[in-house]
Amino acid sequence: MIDFEFRKQVMDYHMGSDIIKYCYQCSRCTDNCPVSNVSKDFYGTTGYDPRLNILNALLGNKDAIFSADPLTIWGCTVCDTCNELCPQNIELTEIFTFLKNESVKKGEAPNFIYRQAKTIFDNAKAIPSQSAIERRREQLGLPSVIKPDVNEIQTLLKNIGADSKIKQNEG
Ligand code: SF4
Ligand code: SF4
């Protein structure tokens, strides 16, 4: 079922006044998406499908996006390949960011997203420093990694309400 309000949100978010950017479903994004290539064996016939996501988003087909497997929204690793190759210059990852944010707002993001967010909140890094990494860097003659300012990152994350979202999904 088409959700016109959702469709308007996507269009407002993506298009602004630039009406020439309609997707014409050429599938170049899906054909070159690395996630699509590695997920064909377990996720539909095309694997993860950014083309289909764009179609459903621009048509306002909200249920097809939010009621589906979490991979539909969260499969994109934001490598930006599709953005660079889209002949219509559609910023696919911008639309996917909107969909991801909507998923978090609805409390429907998969648990691993909250766990990853908590790691970033606690360490100010997605992958915390490990002594093995530090040792390897030393062996390679590389400088130590500068420690991030955890307080600064936590202040930023609290400002956007990320801390309460993380707490709600702990456990
Ligand atoms: S988003 Fe771009 S690359 Fe993907 S199907 Fe649409 S026009 Fe083609
Ligand atoms: S940015 Fe996302 S959808 Fe686009 S090619 Fe990379 S993984 Fe696929």
Side-chain angles (χ1 to χ4, degrees), residues 19-64:
I19 202 120
I20 61 166
K21 287 187 174 176
Y22 276 109
C23 166
Y24 54 55
Q25 291 286 291
C26 66
S27 199
R28 202 165 173 190
C29 48
T30 298
D31 292 348
N32 291 280
C33 171
V35 179
S36 177
N37 284 337
V38 297
S39 56
K40 285 185 172 63
D41 287 344
F42 63 89
Y43 190 72
T45 49
T46 56
Y48 168 69
D49 192 345
R51 176 202 61 78
L52 187 59
N53 280 354
I54 292 297
L55 177 66
N56 284 325
L58 296 181
L59 288 178
N61 196 357
K62 196 174 176 180
D63 290 344

Side-chain angles (χ1 to χ4, degrees), residues 57-154:
L58 296 181
L59 288 178
N61 196 357
K62 196 174 176 180
D63 290 344
I65 295 170
F66 292 106
S67 305
D69 186 292
L71 187 70
T72 304
I73 297 172
W74 295 95
C76 172
T77 60
V78 200
C79 70
D80 278 340
T81 303
C82 54
N83 290 346
E84 288 180 16
L85 295 177
C86 174
Q88 293 290 79
N89 293 323
I90 290 174
E91 295 281 340
L92 289 90
T93 52
E94 289 294 310
I95 296 176
F96 299 157
T97 297
F98 170 74
L99 300 179
K100 287 170 179 169
N101 286 341
E102 288 298 297
S103 167
V104 170
K105 269 193 219 161
K106 287 149 70 77
E108 292 177 355
N111 285 340
F112 70 83
I113 293 298
Y114 297 108
R115 285 201 297 274
Q116 183 74 80
K118 182 163 176 11
T119 301
I120 294 170
F121 188 84
D122 291 343
N123 302 281
K125 293 177 87 172
I127 301 174
S129 292
Q130 295 161 21
S131 50
I133 295 175
E134 288 301 327
R135 275 199 305 278
R136 187 71 182 132
R137 289 183 67 86
E138 206 179 322
Q139 285 164 2
L140 293 169
L142 297 170
S144 314
V145 178
I146 297 168
K147 289 198 185 341
D149 185 334
V150 176
N151 283 336
E152 189 176 324
I153 297 298
Q154 289 188 346

